[in-house]
Structures are given as structure tokens and as C-alpha cells.
Amino acid sequence: MSARYVGGPFDGGANPDDFIDEIRMRTPLGAGRYVRSRDEETGAEVYRWEPEG
């Protein structure tokens, strides 16, 4: 099972390591983190982008 990325630099991709709760990162486009959460519409586990600041 994989969790889909929503927003941020990896939007639309999927991560095979769905046991990871949070991914912090800095990119040329800005800093932030992906946080695992449940999608309101589908109920699936996803990584939501939260920009820093």
C-alpha cells in the first residue's frame, strides 16, 4: 500500500513507505513538510503538504 502526496513538490506521486508520519524538506521552491493524514473525500491515507511559515 502507498500513500499519495497532495500538494507541494511531489503532488500526485506516491510513497511506498506509508509507515512514515512526517517528511520535512527544503526545496528551491520553499520549505515545508508532508504530514500523513486521512483524505476527507476518499478516507485514504495521504501525505498533505504544509508550507513552512
Side-chain angles (χ1 to χ4, degrees):
M1 173 128 175
S2 62
R4 185 174 49 91
Y5 289 106
V6 177
F10 298 132
D11 188 37
N15 184 355
D17 299 326
D18 62 348
F19 59 86
I20 298 171
D21 292 328
E22 181 178 312
I23 303 165
R24 290 186 176 274
M25 59 190 321
R26 291 192 184 283
T27 73
L29 301 175
R33 64 187 184 146
Y34 280 105
V35 178
R36 193 170 66 176
S37 64
R38 189 161 302 279
D39 186 280
E40 300 84 28
E41 294 177 13
T42 65
E45 291 285 318
V46 297
Y47 287 106
R48 276 226 197 272
W49 178 251
E50 295 181 355
E52 191 175 279

